[in-house]
Amino acid sequence: MAILTVKNLSRTFGGIVAVADINMEVQKGQIAGVIGPNGAGKTTFFNLLTGIYTPSTGEIIYELDRTVSNKNLKPHKIAGYGISRTFQNVRLFKEMTVLDNVLLGYHSNFKYNVLSSFFRLPAFFKGEEKAREEAMDLLKVMGLLEKKDELAKNLPYGEQRKLEIARALATKPKILLLDEPAAGMNPQETKDLTKLIRNIRKDFDLTVILIEHDMSLVMDICEKIFVFDYGKLIAQGTPYEVQNNPEVIKAYLGEEEQDATA
Ligand SMILES: Nc1ncnc2c1ncn2[C@@H]1O[C@H](COP(=O)(O)OP(=O)(O)OP(=O)(O)O)[C@@H](O)[C@H]1O
Ligand SMILES: [Mg+2]
């Protein structure tokens, strides 16, 4: 069953066509990859999926507890339906502790109402305690429990990325979008991350869509890969299929040629 359907999705910025008439489906429970050269439109695609940008044309349909079409939905609404993400440039509250960063994820998700928190009724404390416990569990899953009292800014880059994933999980997503989760990680950290993503997909019953330049991670973990180039979806398929697709090879070779002449 498709949890995400994208129809004729485009986004232009002035004269630039960042995303050009994309049609695709992601199946529930899948780990899907979005790859492509720099500037191919991958992050813009995530920004469309999460309501940060509105589409110039087309539609995004989520099959969650109900069918949600993204037309004119604000980012917090989309997040509330269970779409959570991390950012290419890590976005954390750097002066706050690791634990508090995760707790912020829960606060957007609390079940008690504003009034009970205002009057500090028992429901508030119960919620607070439960969130703390769950946040600690998440930090344990991500291997960050020992660092819970450190300031986020003092974590190495790779751990900041993991903390961002922990915070995204705290919002209890159904779909988790990761924008270059392995960026800045060494090969061993990338290997550990691959395992981690596989585990959280299973344990949290997630659909995962990830943008990544690290091909070892992508080819290892993704069941389906979508290849973007100049905003267009030029290929899709299994890792084996896209690796052997002439269009894909051409797009990547083109990039290397540009690098060589730069
Ligand atoms: N807010 C914006 N205003 C103008 N142009 C934009 C905006 N956001 C993205 N673009 C342009 O859209 C194109 C796609 O950018 P995007 O960031 O989506 O690429 P990407 O595939 O994520 O690249 P990278 O791998 O480098 O992260 C680029 O040409 C970029 O300059
Ligand atoms: Mg990007």
Side-chain angles (χ1 to χ4, degrees):
M1 185 194 109
I3 194 165
L4 167 68
T5 305
V6 171
K7 290 182 184 168
N8 303 109
L9 186 67
S10 299
R11 172 68 204 215
T12 55
F13 297 104
I16 298 168
V17 186
V19 167
D21 199 29
I22 301 277
N23 288 282
M24 59 183 265
E25 277 188 358
V26 173
Q27 305 303 313
K28 188 171 185 298
Q30 212 163 42
I31 300 180
V34 176
I35 67 170
N38 292 117
K42 305 179 296 294
T43 296
T44 304
F45 176 62
F46 270 19
N47 286 336
L48 290 165
L49 291 185
T50 50
I52 291 176
Y53 297 149
T54 49
S56 301
T57 69
E59 199 179 357
I60 299 161
I61 301 151
Y62 290 111
E63 290 297 340
L64 302 166
D65 298 330
R66 47 185 270 219
T67 303
V68 178
S69 165
N70 86 318
K71 283 201 174 139
N72 300 319
L73 284 183
K74 294 276 180 288
H76 72 273
K77 270 262 178 179
I78 295 180
Y81 287 123
I83 321 292
S84 193
R85 75 175 288 183
T86 63
F87 292 88
Q88 186 166 351
N89 306 308
V90 176
R91 291 190 192 177
L92 291 168
F93 292 90
K94 306 229 174 202
E95 301 293 336
M96 287 172 71
T97 66
V98 166
L99 179 61
D100 284 344
N101 267 279
V102 180
L103 280 171
L104 279 174
Y106 283 101
H107 280 278
S108 61
N109 211 28
F110 268 174
K111 294 291 180 279
Y112 62 82
N113 64 36
V114 179
L115 212 63
S116 79
S117 74
F118 183 73
F119 289 109
R120 303 262 151 179
L121 294 178
F124 174 81
F125 291 110
K126 256 197 200 140
E128 196 75 359
E129 211 174 285
K130 194 161 171 283
R132 254 184 98 81
E133 272 170 28
E134 286 186 24
M136 305 267 268
D137 283 346
L138 274 181
L139 286 175
K140 198 169 165 199
V141 168
M142 303 307 293
L144 292 173
L145 190 54
E146 279 172 19
K147 308 244 171 145
K148 71 177 169 55
D149 297 321
E150 286 200 29
L151 295 183
K153 68 173 181 191
N154 292 336
L155 294 187
Y157 198 51
E159 289 186 346
Q160 292 193 13
R161 290 206 168 272
K162 288 208 275 187
L163 176 55
E164 230 197 350
I165 297 177
R167 191 181 58 196
L169 288 174
T171 66
K172 303 209 163 43
K174 298 185 174 74
I175 303 178
L176 180 63
L177 307 172
L178 304 173
D179 196 343
E180 299 197 20
M185 289 190 180
N186 65 38
Q188 185 57 47
E189 287 174 318
T190 303
K191 227 170 153 189
D192 294 345
L193 180 74
T194 308
K195 216 160 113 192
L196 199 71
I197 294 172
R198 218 177 252 132
N199 287 343
I200 59 176
R201 183 258 300 260
K202 189 161 127 267
D203 295 345
F204 295 86
D205 197 17
L206 295 173
T207 303
V208 179
I209 309 175
L210 57 93
I211 295 172
E212 191 47 71
H213 286 288
D214 186 311
M215 287 303 135
S216 67
L217 182 141
V218 171
M219 296 303 162
D220 188 3
I221 207 180
C222 295
E223 291 134 358
K224 177 96 185 242
I225 296 172
F226 300 93
V227 188
F228 284 35
D229 192 24
Y230 293 108
K232 292 200 190 78
L233 179 63
I234 59 163
Q236 58 178 299
T238 63
Y240 180 81
E241 284 165 351
V242 299
Q243 269 174 313
N244 291 289
N245 182 308
E247 283 262 354
V248 177
I249 295 166
K250 206 171 101 198
Y252 276 95
L253 281 182
E255 195 186 36
E256 269 169 27
E257 271 162 26
Q258 274 170 23
D259 287 349
T261 54

